[in-house]
Amino acid sequence: KAGVTQTPRYLIKTRGQQVTLSCSPISGHRSVSWYQQTPGQGLQFLFEYFSETQRNKGNFPGRFSGRQFSNSRSEMNVSTLELGDSALYLCASSLDVGKNTGELFFGEGSRLTVL
Amino acid sequence: AQRVTQPEKLLSVFKGAPVELKCNYSYSGSPELFWYVQYSRQRLQLLLRHISRESIKGFTADLNKGETSFHLKKPFAQEEDSAMYYCASGAGSYQLTFGKGTKLSVIP
């Protein structure tokens, strides 16, 4: 089985621009979560989607948004980029079986640098 | 809000020595607790979860509700255990709260 795939792997943007990151979950996984990883704050939950619906959202400003498509693929968007948005953005998928097993399968991440 | 604390950023032990990676959590309900690991140049992956009460790669972790701890232990460290370890808690959803991680370095 192919793992979680994230694209692009690396990107550089300037302040004020926007960015879209993509995530393809493991086949059969319907839950997709996004995390931001920075040296200072560590791993922080952004949001989680299941069946095209956002089920949970972390404590991030509205500039951070996401969506999930019918094939479970997900995208996240960050608008009006700030220097502090520079981070590794990790996507994780999970096989939702009604009870949280907590086993998230992570992608390699998209490393965003904002100049 | 949930909070997970890993007090050690870096832990160095000699090969064959016991290992204990500390994790404390704050959650008033019944948390679900996990240890994730990231080996060099690999993805973050689940090591073990408290509900399974299993031993993976010789590691175990016991949930102590009185001390709100979920320390990860291994009696004899191996060089291949060198990695970044993250403790995480969940509360019935896929929203996990991660600690900031402990880098374990096993000295040959």
Side-chain angles (χ1 to χ4, degrees), chain A residues 78-93:
Chain A
V78 187
S79 62
T80 319
L81 284 166
E82 301 177 358
L83 295 178
D85 297 333
S86 295
L88 181 67
Y89 290 88
L90 291 169
C91 170
S93 73

Side-chain angles (χ1 to χ4, degrees), chain B residues 4-42:
Chain B
V4 176
T5 304
Q6 293 180 252
E8 303 134 330
K9 277 190 176 180
L10 173 65
L11 182 64
S12 296
V13 300
F14 286 100
K15 178 181 173 182
V19 175
E20 182 178 48
L21 298 167
K22 291 183 168 48
C23 172
N24 289 90
Y25 66 92
S26 67
Y27 182 63
S28 57
S30 296
E32 297 181 33
L33 290 153
F34 314 90
W35 277 97
Y36 276 78
V37 62
Q38 187 166 27
Y39 301 102
S40 178
R41 291 185 292 278
Q42 293 189 27

Side-chain angles (χ1 to χ4, degrees), chain B residues 25 42 50 76-77 79 83 89 92:
Chain B
Y25 66 92
Q42 293 189 27
H50 91 272
F76 307 105
E79 289 180 65
S89 73

Side-chain angles (χ1 to χ4, degrees), chain A residues 4 31 33 35 37 40-41 43 45 48 55-56 94-97 99-104 106-108, chain B residues 9 32 34 36 38 41-46 49 51 86 90-100:
Chain A
V4 176
S31 169
S33 305
Y35 288 81
Q37 186 176 30
Q41 299 299 318
L43 279 153
F45 173 78
E48 186 248 342
R55 290 201 295 196
N56 292 290
S94 185
L95 183 62
D96 188 299
V97 292
K99 177 175 171 54
N100 178 26
T101 64
E103 183 160 18
L104 303 181
F106 283 87
E108 293 180 291
Chain B
K9 277 190 176 180
E32 297 181 33
F34 314 90
Y36 276 78
Q38 187 166 27
R41 291 185 292 278
Q42 293 189 27
R43 303 173 186 214
L44 191 59
Q45 59 187 285
L46 178 68
R49 70 200 89 182
I51 198 169
Y86 295 92
S93 71
Y94 289 96
Q95 178 174 348
L96 295 186
T97 299
F98 284 87
K100 293 197 175 179

